[in-house]
């Protein structure tokens, strides 16, 4: 059985190390915060200007001045700090954020990432994604291995406009975990019950040993 | 010099002109200068260029100036929440320049600091880098060369900003994530007009807790804010 969304998020949470400052993207990456391993303390950054992001508020406690980068109402923690957008991206661009976990439309074997625009479709903008992938210490992508038509999203070359060139370090999909290495992608792990052949069949990118 | 004005319209009097370049604070609908935007709508100033992370929603924020066709160009990182914006953009009525969010914030900060250009890795190898100067610096492991692109500082005719509290000299305090783009926007405007929820007596703000000193602030108003929530998200009570 391939991993479901929560299992992918749980696997991504295993990437976190104690003491890290981390930025989680929208979608499955948001679920990672539900699976942070015991004994690991991470501080979540929200790029609109906050370190130490807490959970969603209970009804009646929403504060219009307190939102995350997805514009959802959130809460603060005792360790929370606020700052402006220039400082927020200063810490991102300056490499202070250890890791970003992001969704993607396509990833290529050279680490290219596409997740912001489909030509001919409505373009909403890249938000902070280009800054994050260019600046943070490590970029982990969490996404389905194939699109809904069964076509691989793990490619030799991205077909969509890039968010960043050569920026991805690790890919976690419903089929397993792959690392971007010299010459292509290396299989790190298979999802429970997924065979290496099944993963290779749905991977267009070069797989190296 | 008196900085406190009686209304948004008074605070903008003599400043607005057609074709001007305005930097606006706010992220989504959080911390936007809603009263000043409403006053610009009433003033009817046209052909505006806005540097603003977002474009509001159809009936709030910069969206209200799109409805009245007062905006010529947006410089933004994300505009997904606004149907009228998309209609005008796809119809060729509105220019749009996408900037990565951190690049936009730094362009404002840099402009306000007298820095006309800076180099960043953000966007290298993407459409954002097209037509921009590329330069290598030895910032990689063991001094390896890495490629950067040059981005330009923003020098706006006017900055419109929302803060939480101010004193009459313009010292500002923001609240939680409503700070966002407001300080960098304030810095890059030739003139900066600020709206706050409360103007307090000079001396009542702790000088160590001022987020933006009054040197950046030229005009100031106090007013009632709607502070609309864009994505009300909650968890079940335990």
């Amino acid at each position: 059985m391939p991993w479901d969304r929560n299992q992918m998020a749980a696997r991504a949470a295993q990437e976190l190390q104690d003491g890290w400052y981390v930025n989680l993207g929208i979608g499955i990456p948001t679920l990672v915060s539900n699976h942070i391993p015991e004994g690991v303390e991470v501080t979540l950054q929200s790029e609109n200007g906050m370190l130490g992001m807490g959970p969603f508020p209970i009804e009646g406690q929403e504060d219009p001045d307190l939102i995350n980068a997805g514009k959802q109402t959130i809460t603060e923690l005792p360790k929370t700090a606020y700052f402006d957008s220039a400082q927020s991206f200063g810490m991102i661009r300056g490499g202070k954020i250890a890791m970003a976990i992001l969704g993607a439309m396509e990833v290529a074997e050279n680490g290219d990432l596409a997740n912001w625009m489909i030509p001919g479709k409505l373009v909403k903008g890249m938000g902070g994604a280009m800054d994050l992938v260019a600046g943070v210490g490590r970029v982990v992508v969490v996404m389905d291995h194939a699109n809904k038509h069964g076509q691989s999203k793990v490619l030799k070359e991205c077909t969509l406009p890039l968010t960043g060139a050569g920026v991805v370090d690790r890919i976690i999909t419903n089929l397993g975990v792959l690392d971007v290495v010299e010459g292509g992608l290396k299989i790190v792990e298979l999802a429970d019950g997924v065979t290496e052949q099944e993963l290779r069949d749905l991977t267009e990118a070069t797989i190296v040993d | 010099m008196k900085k406190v004005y009686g209304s948004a319209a008074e605070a903008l009097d003599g400043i607005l002109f057609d074709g001007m370049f305005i930097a606006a604070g706010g992220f989504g609908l959080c911390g936007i200068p809603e009263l000043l935007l409403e006053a610009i709508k009433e003033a009817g100033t046209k052909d505006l260029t806005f540097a603003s992370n977002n474009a509001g929603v159809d009936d709030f924020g910069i969206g209200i100036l799109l409805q009245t066709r007062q905006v010529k160009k947006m410089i933004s990182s994300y505009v997904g929440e606004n149907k009228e914006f998309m209609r005008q953009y796809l119809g060729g009525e509105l220019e749009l320049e996408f900037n990565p969010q951190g690049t936009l914030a730094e362009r404002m900060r840099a402009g306000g600091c007298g820095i006309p250009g800076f180099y960043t890795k953000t966007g290298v190898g993407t459409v954002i880098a097209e037509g921009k100067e590329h330069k290598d610096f030895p910032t990689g492991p063991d001094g390896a060369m890495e490629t950067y692109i040059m981005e330009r500082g923003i020098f706006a005719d006017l900055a419109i900003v929302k803060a939480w509290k101010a004193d009459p000299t313009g010292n500002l305090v923001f609240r939680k994530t409503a700070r966002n783009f407001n300080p960098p926007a304030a810095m890059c405007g030739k003139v900066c007009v600020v709206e706050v929820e409360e103007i307090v007596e000079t001396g009542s703000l702790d000088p160590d807790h001022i987020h933006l000193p009054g040197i950046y602030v030229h005009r100031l108003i106090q007013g009632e804010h709607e502070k609309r929530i864009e994505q009300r998200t909650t968890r079940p009570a335990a």
Side-chain angles (χ1 to χ4, degrees):
Chain A
M1 277 278 285
W3 285 326
D4 64 21
R5 287 164 59 87
N6 269 305
Q7 288 169 313
M8 288 159 70
R11 178 58 190 82
Q14 301 297 316
E15 303 291 313
L16 302 170
Q17 291 185 22
D18 191 39
W20 272 8
Y21 293 86
V22 176
N23 185 293
L24 303 178
I26 292 164
I28 301 174
T30 305
L31 302 174
V32 172
S33 62
N34 300 333
H35 301 277
I36 297 170
E38 208 162 317
V40 173
E41 190 190 334
V42 298
T43 302
L44 300 180
Q45 197 232 24
S46 190
E47 65 264 27
N48 53 319
M50 178 183 200
L51 278 166
M53 182 166 49
F56 297 130
I58 58 172
E59 204 176 324
Q61 312 250 304
E62 307 93 325
D63 184 338
D65 289 338
L66 183 44
I67 63 169
N68 65 17
K71 290 148 192 163
Q72 297 167 307
T73 44
I74 48 163
T75 56
E76 63 186 22
L77 301 171
K79 67 178 173 182
T80 294
Y82 299 109
F83 33 84
D84 69 53
S85 299
Q87 182 164 22
S88 182
F89 284 92
M91 67 183 70
I92 289 168
R93 203 184 297 105
K96 316 301 178 189
I97 305 290
M99 188 165 79
I101 302 178
L102 303 166
M105 298 171 186
E106 295 178 346
V107 180
E109 62 190 45
N110 62 355
D112 287 359
L113 167 69
N115 72 354
W116 78 282
M117 131 179 223
I118 300 174
K121 289 216 174 159
L122 217 53
V123 183
K124 295 181 170 185
M126 72 289 285
M130 284 190 181
D131 311 272
L132 280 161
V133 300
V136 303
R138 186 168 166 79
V139 174
V140 174
V141 164
V142 182
M143 64 174 192
D144 283 328
H145 211 92
N147 64 23
K148 55 177 181 275
H149 307 294
Q151 295 157 326
S152 184
K153 295 168 67 174
V154 186
L155 305 174
K156 288 190 190 307
E157 276 180 48
C158 289
T159 64
L160 298 171
L162 297 185
T163 307
V167 294
V168 176
D169 295 291
R170 176 164 280 193
I171 309 163
I172 297 171
T173 76
N174 51 330
L175 301 186
V177 181
L178 300 112
D179 272 352
V180 178
V181 297
E182 194 68 39
L185 302 179
K186 187 172 162 38
I187 299 172
V188 176
E189 196 177 319
L190 295 164
D192 303 328
V194 171
T195 67
E196 184 172 329
Q197 196 55 49
E198 284 170 332
L199 183 142
R200 282 175 180 266
D201 288 346
L202 270 178
T203 305
E204 189 209 89
T206 310
I207 292 179
V208 298
D209 293 321
Chain B
M1 196 188 101
K2 177 179 158 295
K3 294 188 179 180
V4 179
Y5 286 71
S7 70
E10 282 175 40
L12 291 170
D13 187 44
I15 293 176
L16 301 176
F17 61 91
D18 291 347
M20 75 187 306
F21 183 7
I22 302 176
F27 180 93
L29 301 181
C30 180
I32 58 170
E34 52 181 274
L35 305 175
L36 292 162
L37 288 168
E38 187 66 41
I40 292 170
K41 178 186 165 184
E42 293 303 317
T45 319
K46 294 192 298 291
D47 296 326
L48 301 171
T49 294
F50 268 97
S52 169
N53 189 54
N54 311 97
V57 293
D58 282 320
D59 64 343
F60 200 56
I62 290 175
I64 63 172
L65 300 176
L66 292 165
Q67 287 185 347
T68 50
R69 311 291 182 90
Q70 286 171 264
V71 182
K72 183 181 73 175
K73 179 178 177 180
M74 292 294 309
I75 303 171
S76 304
S77 87
Y78 191 84
V79 295
E81 328 293 352
N82 194 314
K83 288 191 200 72
E84 177 62 16
F85 181 99
M86 281 301 167
R87 197 196 62 70
Q88 289 184 24
Y89 172 59
L90 295 172
E93 300 164 43
L94 182 68
E95 288 175 59
L96 169 62
E97 177 186 322
F98 275 129
N99 279 193
Q101 193 174 140
T103 295
L104 179 59
E106 187 62 16
R107 289 185 66 196
M108 291 182 184
R109 196 199 70 87
C113 295
I115 298 170
F118 59 92
Y119 293 95
T120 177
K121 253 191 272 185
T122 302
V124 171
T126 77
V127 292
I128 292 303
E130 285 171 14
K132 289 177 182 158
E133 183 199 329
H134 286 60
K135 194 174 169 87
D136 292 347
F137 292 92
T139 52
D142 302 322
M145 297 302 273
E146 294 184 301
T147 302
Y148 291 74
I149 53 172
M150 193 185 74
E151 296 282 1
R152 295 185 177 278
I154 285 176
F155 300 86
D157 297 310
L158 168 66
I160 54 173
V161 161
K162 154 77 171 53
W164 183 38
K165 290 182 180 181
D167 68 21
T169 74
N171 289 322
L172 302 184
V173 176
F174 299 90
R175 187 170 176 274
K176 303 184 189 286
T177 56
R179 193 182 319 183
N180 57 58
F181 274 84
N182 282 296
M187 292 166 70
C188 78
K190 274 191 215 115
V191 180
C192 174
V193 182
V194 179
E195 59 182 68
V196 298
E197 294 174 45
E198 189 183 0
I199 298 176
V200 300
E201 271 180 58
T202 303
S204 67
L205 296 175
D206 183 339
D208 270 331
H209 293 173
I210 304 292
H211 294 138
L212 192 75
I215 190 169
Y216 295 105
V217 176
H218 303 99
R219 297 184 180 191
L220 190 60
I221 57 158
Q222 174 181 308
E224 292 291 319
H225 289 81
E226 177 184 339
K227 299 214 285 187
R228 195 183 293 187
I229 292 177
E230 199 165 343
Q231 305 277 349
R232 190 178 296 272
T233 311
T234 57
R235 69 186 146 98

